[in-house]
Amino acid sequence: MNVQNIMTNLEAKHPGESEYLQAVREVLESIEEVYNQHPEFEKAKIVERLVEPDRIFKFRVVWVDDKGQVQVNLGYRVQYNAALGAYKGGLRFHPKVNESMLKFLGFEQIFKNSLTNLPLGGGKGGSDFDPVGKSDEEIMRFCQAFMYELWRNIGADQDSPAGDVGVGGREIGYLYGAYKKIAREHSTGALTGKSYGWGGSLMRPEATGFGAIYYVVRMLKEKGQDIAGKTIALSGFGNVAWGAATKAVELGAKVVAISGPDGVCEIPGGITKEMIDYMLDMRASNRNKVEDMATKFPGQAKFTAGKKSWSVKCDIACPSAFQNELSEADAKELIANGVQFVAEISNMGCQAEAIHAIQAAGIPFGPGKAVNAGGVATSGLEIAQNAQHYNWTAEEVDQKLHKIMNDIYDMCVQYGKQADGSINYVKGANIAGFMRVANAMLAQGII
Ligand code: 2IT
C-alpha cells in the first residue's frame, strides 16, 4: 500500500468529504508499515475494501412540528463493515450531520469495535435534525418518522444502532417503541442504550465516561502517576462528559472545566455531585447552553462566552463533545499551561495538527477509538444480556467493562511501543484494531 496514492484516489472519488478523508488518512498512516509486511493483505486488497462502506442508506424523514408545520430532514445509516459481527454504532442527531461525518464515524467504529474483542461490526447513522429547542413531543414524532424508514435494515443480528450526540435514553426509547410497533418484534438487541427494565443494561449510560477514565488511569500509571488530585478539563456537558466527571470525582480528581457551544464554565474548586446531576437537567432542557451551570451555581462556576475548555489550566485534557474540537492553537495553549496528558473521549476530538503538536511535546495522547470504546463495549454487553433474556448487576457489567478497557490499553501498548520506550497510542490502537478486522476479512474470502 502507498498511502498517498490511496488518498489521492479517495480525494478524487469523494471530494469535500473532509472528516472522512481525515479519519482514513490517520488509520492508513498508522498501519502502513505493518500492512506492507503482509503481502496477503495487499493481494486481497484489504485496505481498498475497508475504506468504502458496504452500503449507505439515505432517506427522507418527514414529520409535523408543534405549530402543525411539515418538516423535512435527511436520515442515514452507514453499514460499514461486518467482518467481525453485525453492524454496530450510534445515531447522531445534529444539524451538521452529512455523509462525510457519518462515514468518518462509521470508519472509526470498525476499529473501535474490533478493539473491544466483542463480535461487533462497524456502522453509524443519524440525521441533520436539530434537537435544540424542540419539545418532547417533537422529538418523539421525529424519532417515529426516522424509524418508519430504518426499521427494515436493523435487528440484533443485522445492525444495532445506539445513541451518539443528540441521541440519549429518551430518543432510544421513542426509536425502540416505534421499531417494535412497525416490525412487530420484541427484538431488544435491535437498539442499545435502552433503559433498564425493558432490555437496557445497567451501567450503559455511565460506560463511555467510566471506560475513558479507566483508560486514563492506565496512561497515568505508565508514568508512575495517580489520578487523585489531578485537574481535568472536559468539554461539552452531555452523556460522555457526565460519565467521565462522575468517575473522575469518585477517584479523587478535580474537574475544573466543562463547556458548550456558547462558551466555557470554569470550576476552580472542582465539579460537585450536585453540578454533575445538573448536567442531566441541562441536556434534557434541549437549550444546549453551558451558561445554565453558572446561573445555577453562581459562586462555583464562572462562565466565559466564546471560550473553550482548552483555555483553562489543567493536568489532563479530555475532549468529550465533537470532532475536531481541539485545534493546533488549542493544543499549544494547553501545552504552554502545563498539560501532562490528553485523552480524546469524543470521536476524533483533536485535529491532526493538534495530535502532532501534543505528541511532539512528549505528552501521552490517547485516541478516541480506544479511550471511548467502553460505550460501544457495554452496548455489546447489552446485546449479550438481551440474547440471554437476562440482566446482569451493575457490578458485573462494570467489572466486564473495566476488563475490556484494561485489555484495550494493553493492546495499544503492545502495538504502539516505540524503539525509545515511549508509547504511540494512536498507532497502537489503529494497528490492533485493524489486524483483527483484516484477518477476519481474509478468512471470509473475497466478498
Ligand atoms: O461512538 C460510539 O462508540 C457510540 N456512539 C456508541 C455506539 C454504540 O453502539 O453503543
Side-chain angles (χ1 to χ4, degrees), residues 207-411:
T208 312
F210 277 31
I213 297 298
Y214 294 149
Y215 192 96
V216 168
V217 164
R218 292 292 306 273
M219 288 173 74
L220 266 73
K221 200 167 165 208
E222 199 85 37
K223 293 274 181 195
Q225 298 194 38
D226 191 339
I227 196 166
K230 290 271 189 285
T231 52
I232 305 185
L234 299 170
S235 58
F237 57 84
N239 167 262
V240 172
W242 167 81
T246 304
K247 182 51 83 176
V249 168
E250 184 195 314
L251 298 180
K254 219 163 119 177
V255 174
V256 292
I258 58 170
S259 66
D262 51 334
V264 66
C265 256
E266 215 176 316
I267 313 161
I271 204 164
T272 61
K273 165 95 176 57
E274 292 69 35
M275 295 165 100
I276 294 172
D277 287 346
Y278 190 62
M279 286 163 87
L280 298 175
D281 296 341
M282 284 161 64
R283 146 105 176 103
S285 77
N286 283 348
R287 280 167 49 80
N288 211 17
K289 282 194 166 40
V290 80
E291 185 176 6
D292 293 355
M293 182 65 84
T295 310
K296 175 92 178 165
F297 298 92
Q300 294 155 273
K302 185 176 147 260
F303 174 72
T304 310
K307 282 269 191 190
K308 299 194 213 173
S309 292
W310 324 129
S311 60
V312 177
K313 187 175 160 51
C314 62
D315 300 319
I316 306 167
C318 293
S320 24
F322 215 61
Q323 75 266 6
N324 290 326
E325 56 177 307
L326 198 155
S327 68
E328 186 179 13
D330 296 327
K332 288 190 168 150
E333 188 169 5
L334 281 169
I335 295 165
N337 281 332
V339 75
Q340 296 170 41
F341 298 87
V342 181
E344 284 176 332
I345 318 185
S346 44
N347 291 306
M348 206 165 78
C350 294
Q351 297 178 18
E353 300 75 20
I355 300 177
H356 296 152
I358 292 160
Q359 289 177 328
I363 292 162
F365 173 80
K369 64 169 77 65
V371 175
N372 74 28
V376 74
T378 306
S379 278
L381 300 178
E382 183 173 332
I383 294 175
Q385 292 170 79
N386 294 159
Q388 290 180 304
H389 299 268
Y390 194 66
N391 298 313
W392 298 332
T393 63
E395 291 71 29
E396 283 174 291
V397 179
D398 190 35
Q399 227 170 45
K400 287 180 166 64
L401 165 66
H402 206 150
K403 178 173 179 346
I404 290 170
M405 294 313 297
N406 275 329
D407 290 348
I408 292 176
Y409 184 85
D410 291 337
M411 275 189 282

Side-chain angles (χ1 to χ4, degrees), residues 3 11 23 28 64 100 125 149 151 162 169 176 206 285 299 312 315 318 374:
V3 175
E11 279 155 18
L28 297 193
V64 180
S100 167
E149 273 297 324
W151 73 277
Y176 184 60
E206 292 85 352
S285 77
V312 177
D315 300 319
C318 293

Side-chain angles (χ1 to χ4, degrees), residues 6-77:
I6 293 180
M7 290 313 300
T8 307
N9 238 319
L10 285 180
E11 279 155 18
K13 233 194 270 187
H14 307 291
E17 296 194 359
S18 60
E19 296 96 344
Y20 160 71
L21 295 165
Q22 179 187 345
V24 170
R25 180 183 285 279
E26 185 210 279
V27 170
L28 297 193
E29 284 178 347
S30 290
I31 64 168
E32 184 172 19
E33 198 184 323
V34 172
Y35 191 87
N36 289 336
Q37 292 161 2
H38 289 267
E40 69 277 20
F41 290 166
E42 186 80 42
K43 182 158 176 271
K45 290 218 162 32
I46 295 291
V47 152
E48 287 83 347
R49 288 158 59 194
L50 247 178
V51 296
E52 296 289 354
D54 287 353
R55 65 195 67 81
I56 300 177
F57 298 109
K58 181 174 178 182
F59 46 90
R60 188 184 63 244
V61 184
V62 187
W63 56 285
V64 180
D65 69 18
D66 285 348
K67 296 193 192 96
Q69 275 167 7
V70 176
Q71 298 285 342
V72 183
N73 286 100
L74 283 174
Y76 306 83
R77 186 72 183 165

